[in-house]
Amino acid sequence: MGHLEQNPIAGMPKPKRTVRQEFLPVSIWPCLLEAASDQQFRDWLTVMLASGARTEEMFKFKAEHFDGGRFVLPAEDSKGRRESRIIYLPEPALSIVERLIQENTKGALFRNRKSNPWNRNSINC
């Protein structure tokens, strides 16, 4: 903005880039699912853990994204917004999604006990 004559951090070494991903070991999944307060949250966790879907993607899934054994999120709903993201659904995630599609043909697939779509705040709580 022109307030300083010299850049005080010019020439400082940059820290190395690191991967910022943390994974839950498969061994704790049963404990996590057992701690889920209700079936709706257990379904959400099961699909997310089994498919490897990102949390933000779980909020966006709709019946129209389901394509016979997988979700296909359009580029505008995908991370980076450059290309579609394909998420394959192994069992038991596939059976949960097929059941939820029968229940929620419009709007978000994953909903809480009050039939409201999950969001960041509800998942954090």
Side-chain angles (χ1 to χ4, degrees), residues 61-100:
F61 288 147
K62 299 177 182 176
E64 62 197 47
H65 296 138
F66 184 68
D67 181 28
R70 64 186 189 167
F71 279 119
V72 180
L73 282 176
E76 61 269 10
D77 288 334
S78 299
K79 182 179 176 182
R81 302 187 195 298
R82 291 191 182 139
E83 51 189 59
S84 296
R85 171 126 152 99
I86 298 172
I87 298 139
Y88 293 94
L89 299 169
E91 282 294 333
L94 182 59
S95 59
I96 291 170
V97 168
E98 289 172 340
R99 176 174 47 81
L100 292 176

Side-chain angles (χ1 to χ4, degrees), residues 22-34 45-46 48-52 90-92:
E22 296 180 25
F23 299 96
L24 295 173
V26 175
S27 60
I28 68 166
W29 288 10
C31 295
L32 185 64
L33 293 171
E34 185 179 317
L45 284 171
T46 300
M48 187 178 80
L49 292 170
S51 68
E91 282 294 333

